[in-house]
Amino acid sequence: MTSSSSVQQAREALGKRLREIRKDSGLTARELAARAGWHESKCSRIENGRTGPSDHDLRVWALLCGAEDRTADLIATARNIDGAYVEWRRMERSGLRRAQESVIPVWERTRKFRAYSSWLVPGPLQTRAYIESLLRSIRDRRALPDDLAAAVQVRVDKQRILYEGPHRFAVLLEESALRHRIGGAATMAGQLGHLLSVATLPNVSLGVIPLSADRTALWPVEDFWIFDDAQVNVELVSAFLTITQPHEISMYARTFLGLADLAVYGAPARALITAAIDSLG
């Protein structure tokens, strides 16, 4: 799995900064590589965004180019880029609790949430039983340390933002997300019943895109969250992606609007949820 275009563009931007620093010092790429003891192609790979520099690389670069005062800023920039695309195995190496806690700051500072899901009911709208079934599956599939109870509690506690503070939620679900059975019929029935309840909250807008909707212009896409207009998070099979490039955030915002136009709300949405409950038998 390759990183997103956001990550690549950020690496290229950092490479351009490093090229400018090198040129200002009067060194050629070959001269810098030779003084650093690197392969002669390394500078080119870094400057063109093909290779991400390590902290050590950046310290050496700044030292040899007489720009040591810029070292801290360069390292901070590179670390932010690395944090944009985080493999699950890195985020979850100490268990699921850490992964759940890592997103709390952005959740607490966000005022307008937009969420789209074709797979699952989104986290803030999940019941404890649904959460436990999901996280148990992830723990077992990825062979993670067993901190299931703590991870479930973190996610449950995080749901307080539904009821506290000036947070607004616009949630779009594909009808298929209502039909994917998680944790068995009883757990799923409880989850769908809870969905009917939280949909009545004044700060929650819930839309369901029917299976019968014409998808010629816009088909189902990856699940994503938009936090204000500041960032987008996408959960991939192998990694957790954070998008901060403004033009990409705008693309997700436009996609959300297009998907919202396909959804039904109010009584028609409740009817789809009730039909999904009835199908559980």
Side-chain angles (χ1 to χ4, degrees):
M1 181 79 67
T2 58
S3 60
S4 76
S5 57
S6 281
V7 175
Q8 183 56 34
Q9 287 183 6
R11 283 180 177 159
E12 290 172 359
L14 176 59
K16 289 178 182 177
R17 287 177 61 189
L18 292 170
R19 182 184 295 115
E20 291 171 359
I21 290 172
R22 174 183 58 76
K23 287 185 173 180
D24 287 345
S25 74
L27 292 174
T28 66
R30 181 171 294 181
E31 288 170 340
L32 176 56
R35 294 187 185 186
W38 298 335
H39 188 280
E40 63 180 19
S41 66
K42 182 170 181 174
C43 288
S44 176
R45 295 198 308 271
I46 290 175
E47 290 181 356
N48 288 294
R50 294 195 298 272
T51 297
S54 67
D55 290 0
H56 179 69
D57 292 337
L58 293 170
R59 290 189 184 98
V60 171
W61 196 294
L63 174 64
L64 295 177
C65 294
E68 290 179 90
D69 59 323
R70 301 172 73 173
T71 301
D73 182 58
L74 291 170
I75 289 175
T77 299
R79 288 182 179 178
N80 285 338
I81 294 170
D82 289 340
Y85 182 87
V86 182
E87 290 188 15
W88 290 117
R89 63 181 180 180
R90 173 180 162 194
M91 180 180 285
E92 299 169 344
R93 61 179 176 264
S94 62
L96 284 165
R97 179 178 179 176
R98 177 176 176 270
Q100 297 300 312
E101 291 174 336
S102 68
V103 299
I104 290 176
V106 68
W107 282 75
E108 291 182 337
R109 66 175 176 263
T110 298
R111 294 296 175 263
K112 179 182 179 183
F113 297 80
R114 284 165 284 179
Y116 164 80
S117 180
S118 61
W119 304 340
L120 305 167
V121 174
L125 311 184
Q126 294 170 356
T127 63
R128 178 182 287 271
Y130 190 91
I131 292 170
E132 186 171 344
S133 296
L134 283 175
L135 295 186
R136 179 183 293 109
S137 175
I138 292 171
R139 179 201 64 187
D140 295 345
R141 188 167 64 250
R142 298 176 184 161
L144 301 175
D146 188 5
D147 62 349
L148 179 63
V152 170
Q153 191 60 50
V154 170
R155 180 170 283 193
V156 170
D157 290 344
K158 190 172 63 176
Q159 292 178 343
R160 70 182 186 279
I161 64 170
L162 272 176
Y163 309 98
E164 299 175 359
H167 305 288
R168 292 181 293 118
F169 292 82
V171 178
L172 297 176
L173 299 177
E174 298 282 352
E175 186 180 351
S176 57
L178 308 176
R179 301 282 180 161
H180 294 158
R181 295 196 180 191
I182 305 296
T187 293
M188 200 64 205
Q191 175 60 73
L192 293 173
H194 181 64
L195 197 58
L196 289 171
S197 176
V198 295
T200 65
L201 293 173
N203 60 325
V204 175
S205 169
L206 176 65
V208 180
I209 303 174
L211 289 169
S212 59
D214 185 341
R215 310 308 294 268
T216 306
L218 186 57
W219 47 88
V221 297
E222 67 272 18
D223 288 14
F224 63 87
W225 280 88
I226 307 175
F227 299 90
D228 291 326
D229 291 312
Q231 76 179 56
V232 174
N233 284 139
V234 183
E235 294 190 6
L236 306 176
V237 171
S238 63
F240 183 78
L241 184 63
T242 299
I243 294 170
T244 57
Q245 291 284 339
H247 79 277
E248 286 196 278
I249 294 173
S250 295
M251 288 179 66
Y252 275 94
R254 290 195 301 271
T255 297
F256 188 87
L257 287 174
L259 291 165
D261 286 341
L262 297 172
V264 296
Y265 304 84
R270 292 193 295 273
L272 291 175
I273 298 171
T274 301
I277 295 173
D278 293 341
S279 73
L280 293 170

